[in-house]
Amino acid sequence: MLGSGSAWAPSVTEYLDDNPTMPEPTVALIRRIRGGDGSARDVLLKRYLPVLRRWAHGRLPASARDLSDTDDLVQVTLLRALNHLEEFDARHTGSFLAYLRQILLNQVRDELRRLQRRPGGVELDTELPDLETPPLVEQMLGHERVRAYERALAKLPKRQQELIVMRMEFGMSYPEIAAEVDGTPDAVRVMVARAIVLLSKELGGESA
Amino acid sequence: MSADHPSNPRGEDLEKVAARIADEQPVNWRSVDESDDAVSLNGLREIEQLAQGFRHLQVSAVAPKTPNSNRFRFGALQVLEPLGSGAQGEVWRAYDPLLDLQVALKLRKVDSDTLSHQFLDEARRLARVRQANIVSVYGAAVHDGRAGLWTELVRGAPLAGLLREHGPFPADEVRGIGLDLCHALAAVHRHGLVHGDVKAENVMREVSGRIVLMDFGAAREFDVADARVISGTLRYLAPEVLRGAAPSPASDLYALAVLLFHLLSGAYPYTTSNLEELLDQQERRKRLRLSELKPGLPADLVRAIEQALDVDPARRPVSALAFAAALASKPAVRRPGWVWPALGAVAALAALIAGIAWRNATPAWQAQAQFSRVGALGDNALADGSEVALGDRLVLQFQSSAPAFVYVFDDDGSGAAGVLFPLSGVEPGNPLAAAGNHRLPGRRNGESVAWTVSSHAAREEFIVVAANAPQPELEQAIAAWQRAGGDAGATRGAMGLSAAPDGNEIASAPLRELLQRVERDGSVRHWRFVFPHTASR
């Protein structure tokens, strides 16, 4: 026996926000927020906080990746972005998540500078990989490998960059990405695979 | 569309590898042909490493190191978060570092030796049941006195949730779900097992549209005397099981019929969830009828479900496959438009997933049609939402249990259509022999040919018609098309030519009208497939 199926409800499911099938597209949420809908703001916060927290966790150096620090950084970044939503223009900056990632990256760099100014800290270049205490992502993958990946990624069209970041770096599911790019999960899956093929050509060239 | 010979399939292979990486699936590099495109393969290896690294970061980030964290290890598995729990079992999301996959870990709360032994024994047997609509088992073990079983992590939603969200399912959708579950149960029963707890909460629709039967084995622990244990599934339990009989394939079919009844109507056959009242209603054969609850449903579908709901197990279908045959007496076309409203093609593509069409008059006649993209390592079925691109080479896999006359048309969205099959000079022609697996368009001068996407368009729309006799309307239309197209005629597609000049094609609207006229015959099946074009590749 494998257990009481009658007792196992809900079953093995990944729920996305409050909708088990498809999350509301981010562009629609942004429209609602701009229209003064506070509930849409909550939905977006709930959607992005865990994603960005996971991502920031790997990008921060050991001294700053305590859970509370990461949470603070991410929450402040996200709230600031939502308070200045008028600065986001999807036509020019791509998806909202990519926009947030860029803001967060800047925040991380600011945080690193702050840490470096502490007594005992070492004044270093503001580039992330040059810190004495490298972020987890570089501890795990190696400085050169991460830099090569970032260089190759930067050569791709913006949309392909976003798809790869959302899937690989943020660990977002296909329905979540679909909500971000206003597509369907299956189409997103195909697009991600093709973006990875493009990346492989750039990355293979780098390491050849 | 046009047809030509195999050319450059590498992109297809690379994409398959990339898709496995994106899906967090292991890549079998030994099976990858490394004879060319070394740069890309090298890059993909790097990306696989990067993806694993990023994934580890995500895993470590979602498991904060706090004293109250409920994260723990089960053997080699890193248990991440609870997904569901009940009186006797828990389901967790876990990470398997050996498989490098996220899995669903099911743990027993009760730790007696007997239960653990039963649990593992059942898991071992279930692990042997490999079927597309059954959740895959990866392993089972006992650690620290707890028996656990880990399976694939199915990403989607239970039918119960979809029903709550969207209301009753369309009849064709239910028919397709029923067919999938019949085949799943047939596999289970073949291995001497019973599921014992078929219900809307235990059937998932994956994001890809796949129907997956989950959570095996509850029935044997079923104790009629303890209403608390069975309360969740009481309405699905067969009358004989409620009266103390052991679960059987017939009781699984009863539960499936309750599920289909529920999906169609939102109600259950019996109006009570009280055990005594239920027994009484069953005794008096006092239950709701689908035909009264939902007038207008296909009579054959209602008949099949009502038969499987019979109080007497001997009067139900004799097997899961017999139930499938009864359900399939009308074409099964899924149209989950409310699931993926953004993809207009899905309603049509769902027929591709179901892949099975049955002729109305004779349930024994089965036909199956599925498009594939030709790749270096073989044909790859085009799944729901698949995009096609310029240069893609497509074939149609067609099977039929009886000789069939097949016609294939294509419309690239320009409002004009072309004939893709039958093609003069290409073998086989109509009728296609029974029981064979035909790969259309077929062979010319002994060589396989395929249809090639040869023009830019928003999408490709295919109409496939199968009939047990020649279709005069279609034959005449094709002949007219050939005459207008000149010498190349209908074979021009196979010659690598694409769009015919204006006026030489069958316009889409007339074609649709034509098909509607043909369809009235009742012995004709048609499928519609739509594949959007990728923006760039």
Side-chain angles (χ1 to χ4, degrees):
Chain A
M1 282 302 99
L2 305 185
S4 168
S6 61
W8 287 354
S11 192
V12 185
T13 310
E14 285 200 325
Y15 284 99
L16 303 162
D17 292 332
D18 297 319
N19 184 338
T21 52
M22 277 290 289
E24 183 174 357
T26 297
V27 288
L29 286 173
I30 290 175
R31 262 199 308 274
R32 284 170 51 197
I33 295 170
R34 282 176 167 155
D37 184 344
S39 66
R41 184 188 169 94
D42 292 342
V43 172
L44 207 58
L45 274 171
K46 188 178 162 192
R47 178 178 298 176
Y48 282 146
L49 268 176
V51 174
L52 292 173
R53 194 184 72 188
R54 282 201 302 268
W55 181 84
H57 177 77
R59 295 282 166 164
L60 286 167
S63 53
R65 63 172 172 259
D66 177 71
L67 181 64
S68 58
D69 286 353
T70 310
D71 269 355
D72 283 351
L73 190 72
V74 171
Q75 287 194 49
V76 168
T77 300
L78 191 48
L79 289 170
R80 279 180 186 160
L82 291 176
N83 288 340
H84 297 87
L85 210 50
E86 68 281 359
E87 292 172 11
F88 169 67
D89 183 346
R91 287 169 302 178
H92 301 299
T93 54
S95 79
F96 188 59
L97 198 54
Y99 169 72
L100 290 176
R101 176 180 177 265
Q102 189 55 49
I103 295 177
L104 195 53
L105 197 54
N106 293 337
Q107 290 287 327
V108 169
R109 286 174 175 155
D110 287 347
E111 177 68 10
L112 294 175
R113 288 193 198 94
R114 187 180 66 79
L115 290 170
Q116 287 156 14
R117 286 194 294 272
R118 282 179 180 171
V122 182
E123 196 64 33
L124 289 173
D125 190 313
T126 55
E127 289 291 320
L128 283 179
D130 298 331
L131 289 166
E132 273 191 345
T133 313
L136 276 177
V137 66
E138 294 184 7
Q139 287 182 36
M140 191 164 287
L141 293 166
H143 173 93
E144 284 308 320
R145 177 177 266 165
V146 173
R147 294 306 300 268
Y149 159 74
E150 288 177 348
R151 281 195 301 271
L153 188 67
K155 292 177 185 170
L156 301 189
K158 187 173 228 104
R159 172 49 62 94
Q160 275 73 23
Q161 284 185 39
E162 290 175 4
L163 289 166
I164 288 171
V165 166
M166 284 189 277
R167 181 63 189 156
M168 285 181 34
E169 292 191 36
F170 290 165
M172 291 167 66
S173 67
Y174 294 123
E176 287 169 330
I177 300 173
E180 203 52 39
V181 302
D182 204 11
T184 65
D186 294 302
V188 161
R189 182 173 178 271
V190 174
M191 287 192 291
V192 168
R194 289 178 181 169
I196 287 176
V197 172
L198 283 182
L199 181 66
S200 73
K201 295 183 195 306
E202 298 294 344
L203 202 54
E206 282 253 358
S207 56
Chain B
M1 293 289 299
S2 65
D4 67 8
H5 302 285
S7 54
N8 174 26
R10 294 300 309 165
E12 176 67 21
D13 296 339
L14 294 174
E15 204 173 301
K16 279 172 62 178
V17 174
R20 290 196 70 79
I21 294 171
D23 288 349
E24 303 179 1
Q25 300 288 321
V27 178
N28 182 2
W29 291 103
R30 282 175 297 186
S31 70
V32 177
D33 181 3
E34 306 200 28
S35 58
D36 54 12
D37 217 342
V39 169
S40 293
L41 286 174
N42 197 27
L44 284 172
R45 280 200 177 85
E46 275 295 296
I47 294 169
E48 187 189 31
Q49 297 291 315
L50 286 160
Q52 286 177 7
F54 288 132
R55 201 148 57 239
H56 282 294
L57 287 173
Q58 290 153 17
V59 168
S60 63
V62 296
K65 298 179 184 65
T66 59
N68 294 329
S69 169
N70 53 18
R71 183 183 177 218
F72 58 95
R73 297 186 75 89
F74 182 81
L77 299 181
Q78 295 171 297
V79 183
L80 301 177
E81 61 173 332
L83 293 172
S85 65
Q88 298 190 28
E90 298 170 341
V91 185
W92 296 76
R93 186 209 302 268
Y95 174 71
D96 185 336
L98 298 175
L99 295 176
D100 194 19
L101 280 177
Q102 288 198 30
V103 299
L105 171 65
K106 303 179 180 184
L107 292 176
R108 296 284 297 165
K109 280 184 177 173
V110 183
D111 299 330
S112 83
D113 289 344
T114 306
L115 280 176
S116 294
H117 170 76
Q118 281 183 330
F119 185 93
L120 295 179
D121 188 44
E122 190 76 18
R124 287 188 194 102
R125 285 192 287 171
L126 180 56
R128 291 198 295 271
V129 185
R130 294 287 177 186
Q131 202 271 346
N133 302 108
I134 294 175
V135 65
S136 294
V137 175
Y138 293 152
V142 177
H143 291 291
D144 300 327
R146 298 192 79 180
L149 158 73
W150 55 104
T151 70
E152 65 173 311
L153 182 65
V154 178
R155 297 164 194 266
L159 297 184
L162 295 172
L163 185 65
R164 272 195 306 274
E165 185 90 7
H166 304 286
F169 286 55
D172 286 342
E173 176 80 355
V174 172
R175 197 191 295 272
I177 292 169
L179 281 171
D180 283 348
L181 293 178
C182 277
H183 290 293
L185 286 176
V188 173
H189 298 163
R190 255 199 315 276
H191 284 78
L193 300 170
V194 292
H195 183 280
D197 200 15
V198 176
K199 60 178 180 178
E201 288 80 2
N202 283 346
V203 180
M204 299 277 290
R205 180 203 292 285
E206 217 173 21
V207 291
S208 65
R210 172 187 167 221
I211 297 296
V212 189
L213 184 58
M214 320 276 295
D215 290 350
F216 283 68
R220 293 190 184 177
E221 295 170 33
F222 168 66
D223 182 356
V224 176
D226 188 347
R228 287 171 303 168
V229 176
I230 61 172
S231 58
T233 51
L234 190 64
R235 293 169 182 276
Y236 288 88
L237 289 174
E240 71 274 16
V241 175
L242 279 175
R243 286 159 178 78
S248 65
S251 61
D252 271 350
L253 298 188
Y254 177 90
L256 175 55
V258 174
L259 169 62
L260 301 182
F261 187 108
H262 186 48
L263 294 177
L264 281 169
S265 65
Y268 293 96
Y270 295 96
T271 55
T272 179
S273 57
N274 175 282
L275 178 59
E276 288 182 355
E277 289 175 9
L278 184 59
L279 291 168
D280 178 60
Q281 287 185 7
Q282 288 176 348
E283 197 71 36
R284 294 188 289 117
R285 306 289 201 269
K286 184 186 172 188
R287 68 169 173 84
L288 300 174
R289 303 285 159 181
L290 259 183
S291 53
E292 295 166 5
L293 270 181
K294 295 274 287 185
L297 288 173
D300 63 303
L301 180 62
V302 171
R303 201 163 40 244
I305 294 171
E306 296 281 2
Q307 188 197 346
L309 283 172
D310 201 296
V311 170
D312 181 358
R315 294 173 63 89
R316 295 176 204 148
V318 294
S319 68
L321 290 180
F323 193 8
L327 285 171
S329 61
K330 190 170 181 288
V333 180
R334 298 182 192 172
R335 298 186 183 279
W338 40 263
V339 178
W340 310 118
L343 183 62
V346 165
L349 282 170
L352 166 69
I353 303 168
I356 299 175
W358 309 69
R359 195 173 67 173
N360 195 18
T362 54
W365 182 47
Q366 301 175 29
Q368 184 170 339
Q370 179 164 13
F371 274 94
S372 299
R373 184 187 284 123
V374 179
L377 302 179
D379 297 342
N380 303 295
L382 280 175
D384 180 6
S386 293
E387 293 183 337
V388 296
L390 201 62
D392 274 356
R393 304 176 64 254
L394 308 179
V395 294
L396 178 74
Q397 310 284 355
F398 182 83
Q399 288 177 293
S400 171
S401 62
F405 288 79
V406 175
Y407 307 89
V408 185
F409 304 93
D410 167 55
D411 179 350
D412 65 3
S414 62
V419 180
L420 298 183
F421 191 87
L423 298 174
S424 59
V426 175
E427 295 294 333
N430 279 327
L432 298 180
N437 184 14
H438 300 284
R439 186 174 181 272
L440 303 181
R443 303 174 74 82
R444 190 178 53 203
N445 300 325
E447 288 190 75
S448 291
V449 291
W451 297 302
T452 299
V453 179
S454 55
S455 62
H456 291 286
R459 63 177 192 162
E460 296 289 340
E461 178 180 6
F462 298 90
I463 303 282
V464 179
V465 179
N468 64 346
Q471 296 301 300
E473 293 90 345
L474 295 181
E475 300 279 353
Q476 288 165 15
I478 292 170
W481 187 88
Q482 284 179 297
R483 283 195 298 275
D487 293 339
T491 65
R492 50 193 298 139
M495 299 293 287
L497 301 177
S498 55
D502 288 346
N504 286 350
E505 295 121 335
I506 300 169
S508 287
L511 175 59
R512 280 194 290 273
E513 289 171 16
L514 190 64
L515 290 173
Q516 284 168 3
R517 287 207 302 276
V518 169
E519 197 178 12
R520 289 202 190 102
D521 180 86
S523 62
V524 178
R525 281 287 303 123
H526 83 258
W527 297 258
R528 179 170 165 265
F529 304 99
V530 182
F531 305 115
H533 274 222
T534 184
S536 61
R537 197 169 180 189

